[in-house]
Amino acid sequence: MTLWNLGSINADHVYAVPHIPAPGETLAATGLSRGLGGKGANMSVAMARAGGRVAHLGAVGADGGWMLERLEGYGVDCAHVQRHDGPSGHAIITVDAAAENAITIWPGANREIDPEAVKRALERAERGDLFVTQNETSLQVEAAAQAHAQGLTVAYAAAPFDADAVRAVLPHLDLLVLNEIEAQQLAQALGQPVEALPVPNVVVTLGAKGCDWIETASGARHHVDAPRVEAVDTTGAGDTFTGYLLAGLSQGLAMPEALARATRAAALKVGRHGAADAIPTLEEVERAAL
Ligand code: ATP
């Protein structure tokens, strides 16, 4: 079974600064590092690290070759990722000594994906494959609708949160993953609790408290506790969780087992600094004494 991920690919440029620059201020950074980021890329890496077969759909700019090499290095199939002339999606992240940050994101190629190319790529998917997207690219609704019509299981990670984006994609979903705040915002925007959503499975992540899985047909709510760990960097915790959950489902795990594995993987991630590059392998997740 293949996991098709229509997702963002971002270069994270991280600048260490003595303090976050004030309006009008010019400041020399004391350090610079470059990493692979974007919710889509993080999720593809997580699914691949979990042992899933992953085909990424999306686009990078002329400066994005190294990101595709990095993704492929993790085992993600990038044959359907488009190459554009303009800039790749990127984030300028300034971090001060107290770990406070300010982030500017340029969506770039992530919002200029060619619809025909995505349509043709998805036509190669097989009934029973899994499709996932998030709210950082163009074509979320079109691709989710096509995947749903072709008989794929369709999942959506509602981040960065936008109630209108969720509302538009909702009719095509089998599984919705969102964090506690996003769940509250969605319930408020739609005027109904997430238990009443027209999506069979809703997973609400609760940070250090774990997650809740809601089967909307029966209204049953199942809680999974997260292991207690020392969190040093929660960047990508949600992407690790969702990637591991979907990979587990694609490998035939039942929802409770897939959630348990995703919870362990995310707990390991928060104990490490970094995003995509800090996502643990399945072997590490299975071996860890949590
Ligand atoms: P982020 O935006 O930081 O990637 P999120 O807001 O999408 O995350 P969270 O609910 O904060 O989602 O975290 C996702 C999952 O990661 C949780 O369900 C949990 O399994 C795990 N997790 C997050 N924080 C911790 C923590 N401090 N300790 C253990 N597990 C954690």
Side-chain angles (χ1 to χ4, degrees), residues 12 219 228:
D12 286 346
R228 257 174 206 272

Side-chain angles (χ1 to χ4, degrees), residues 179 205-208 210-211 226-227 229 231 234-239 241 263 266-267 270:
N179 70 24
T205 63
L206 308 166
C211 69
V229 292
T234 60
T235 316
D239 302 333
F241 176 91
T263 302
V270 303

